Amino acid sequence: MKPSLRSALLAALTLATLSAWAGQPPEWSQPQKPFRIYGNTYYVGTRGLTSILITSPQGLVLIDGTLPQNVKQIEANIQALGFRLTDVKVILNTHAHFDHAGGIAELARDTGARVEASSAGAKALMLGGKDPADPQYGEASPYAPVPHVATVPDLGVVQVGDVAITAHYTPGHTPGATTWTWRSCEAGRCMNMVFADSLGAYAADGYRFSDPAHPERLENYRRSIETIASLPCDILLSPHPDQSDLLERVAKRDAGTKPDPVVDGHACRAYAEEGRAKLEARLAKEKATAAGGKGGR
């Protein structure tokens, strides 16, 4: 395909997706000054969408690209911290929805980084989010496909310099949903960092997590909740910062609150319990809908 035609198609796709998401929460694109979370882990996203930078002398790892229109903000935040865009060697993804993966294709082009994801996540990224297996298929907006995505196996490790990031498959919110863990150290004290993927049981009309024809949907979801609950977890991060109250906890820390409110060894278990409650509420709704005589795929 000629570059001019490719650019035109990309522009058309971007315009279409931006139009489709015109009603998105304003904080999803509201600027947020980048900051250190702990050790070599930094926040480079917006007020409403998380993007995490993990640093090493041998290169950087970026997790999540948020929205297409946020790419320049993320890049400016990385540079404001004193890093070069070309220092980004790997881009990872929690799940392949528009609000967390929409900017990855452009970020990969601008940085030259390779993109890696779970097996199902890699497929969805290369489809530009148009994955028929996604519970929100038909409602979630598409985005620019990522041409090349390497697969990280469950419990596989992505290594950049002395940074080792482990993938934990946590399917449910999407088939490729992935939680990422690593350790960050500061002043001789190391923390277990957990970027837990979303556990919200959202779906398009007609989709049933409880569909008896697909028992794996519910089995996988419940297993994912248990996985997150059992992880060694000192600092919890999430795709939307308000899911883990990250910005509020950082503000309290900056105000001098002791002990450090960002560090919470119970946060992952609490997050998992919230996810369990949301799933049970969804299942109750599906049961009521089925009792009313409505079908589902």
Side-chain angles (χ1 to χ4, degrees):
M1 183 182 295
K2 294 181 179 180
S4 58
L5 180 56
R6 185 185 300 112
S7 298
L9 289 174
L10 179 59
L13 177 60
T14 300
L15 180 60
T17 53
L18 293 181
S19 176
W21 281 73
Q24 69 191 28
E27 62 270 19
W28 284 10
S29 291
Q30 183 179 344
Q32 166 64 49
K33 183 178 179 180
F35 59 88
R36 185 195 304 268
I37 299 171
Y38 191 86
N40 64 340
T41 299
Y42 297 83
Y43 189 95
V44 294
T46 63
R47 289 290 299 177
L49 294 173
T50 301
S51 185
I52 296 297
L53 189 73
I54 309 167
T55 70
S56 82
Q58 291 75 32
L60 316 175
V61 178
L62 183 69
I63 308 180
D64 279 359
T66 79
L67 297 165
Q69 63 265 41
N70 292 348
V71 166
K72 297 310 176 187
Q73 285 192 53
I74 293 173
E75 292 178 347
N77 284 345
I78 292 172
Q79 293 170 320
L81 292 170
F83 302 108
R84 298 175 301 179
L85 295 182
T86 52
D87 290 334
V88 179
K89 303 303 180 185
V90 179
I91 299 174
L92 305 176
N93 180 230
T94 51
H95 67 271
H97 280 163
F98 179 81
D99 47 339
H100 309 291
I104 289 180
E106 185 176 351
L107 285 163
R109 284 197 306 273
D110 292 350
T111 62
R114 68 183 186 272
V115 179
E116 302 190 22
S118 67
S119 54
K123 175 184 175 183
L125 288 171
M126 290 187 287
L127 289 172
K130 295 181 288 187
D131 181 8
D134 187 342
Q136 296 182 50
Y137 179 68
E139 292 186 358
S141 293
Y143 49 85
V146 183
H148 307 289
V149 184
T151 295
V152 184
D154 190 21
L155 301 181
V157 176
V158 177
Q159 190 94 30
V160 176
D162 58 359
V163 171
I165 305 170
T166 301
H168 304 265
Y169 283 17
T170 46
H173 187 70
T174 69
T178 307
T179 291
W180 302 94
T181 63
W182 64 98
R183 283 173 62 82
S184 287
C185 302
E186 185 174 302
R189 186 186 183 197
C190 296
M191 294 290 174
N192 294 302
M193 313 293 292
V194 178
F195 193 164
D197 199 11
S198 298
L199 290 175
Y202 305 111
D205 289 343
Y207 185 98
R208 293 169 57 202
F209 290 100
S210 57
D211 187 345
H214 296 280
E216 73 284 354
R217 293 177 180 175
L218 197 50
E219 292 168 3
N220 289 342
Y221 219 129
R222 286 181 166 150
R223 187 181 304 114
S224 297
I225 291 170
E226 294 303 323
T227 294
I228 291 175
S230 66
L231 289 171
C233 177
D234 297 311
I235 296 178
L236 172 66
L237 311 172
S238 52
H240 295 266
D242 60 358
Q243 292 171 321
S244 52
D245 297 323
L246 177 63
L247 300 184
E248 291 78 5
R249 291 186 287 126
V250 169
K252 291 178 181 178
R253 180 184 69 183
D254 292 347
T257 300
K258 301 293 183 181
D260 186 349
V262 175
V263 180
D264 182 356
H266 301 287
C268 281
R269 289 193 293 275
Y271 186 81
E273 284 306 314
E274 290 178 6
R276 194 189 318 276
K278 292 175 182 176
L279 177 59
E280 293 305 320
R282 171 74 191 197
L283 294 176
K285 181 179 179 181
E286 291 180 4
K287 184 177 181 180
T289 300
K294 297 180 179 179
R297 63 179 174 86

